[in-house]
Amino acid sequence: SLNLERSRFLQASNQSFTMSSVAMLVGLGTVGLLTLHAAVISLGGLVLVAIGVPLGQRISSHLSPEMFRKAVLIVLAAIGFTLIVRAI
């Protein structure tokens, strides 16, 4: 844990996701895998992000710092568990 305050953590997370998405876009374009279908799916994901970020900010503003940390850990654990189950 980096013990970042909530706003700093959210800012760092959003920047990380943005940079990795740009890198993936460049990589897919470079190897010729950036198809119209992939672009449409990506745009759909952006719509979900545009809805999810404000919703997440609203929810997190009602949580204490300790509850926010626990919620983040629970979400990360659930994502990790899902990735493991899908790999099996």
Side-chain angles (χ1 to χ4, degrees):
S1 166
L2 298 174
N3 289 325
L4 296 174
E5 66 181 58
R6 182 184 332 216
S7 63
R8 184 70 69 161
F9 172 78
L10 292 173
Q11 181 183 28
S13 295
N14 288 334
Q15 287 177 346
S16 173
F17 288 127
T18 300
M19 288 187 299
S20 64
S21 296
V22 169
M24 189 181 321
L25 177 70
V26 170
L28 289 173
T30 301
V31 297
L33 294 176
L34 185 58
T35 63
L36 178 60
H37 180 70
V40 169
I41 290 173
S42 296
L43 286 175
L46 287 175
V47 170
L48 294 175
V49 168
I51 294 168
V53 168
L55 180 63
Q57 287 174 338
R58 187 174 298 150
I59 291 169
S60 72
S61 70
H62 296 293
L63 298 175
S64 69
E66 183 62 28
M67 285 301 297
F68 177 76
R69 283 189 189 94
K70 286 181 183 179
V72 168
L73 289 175
I74 289 169
V75 168
L76 290 175
I79 291 170
F81 179 76
T82 301
L83 289 172
I84 291 169
V85 168
R86 287 184 179 179
I88 295 177

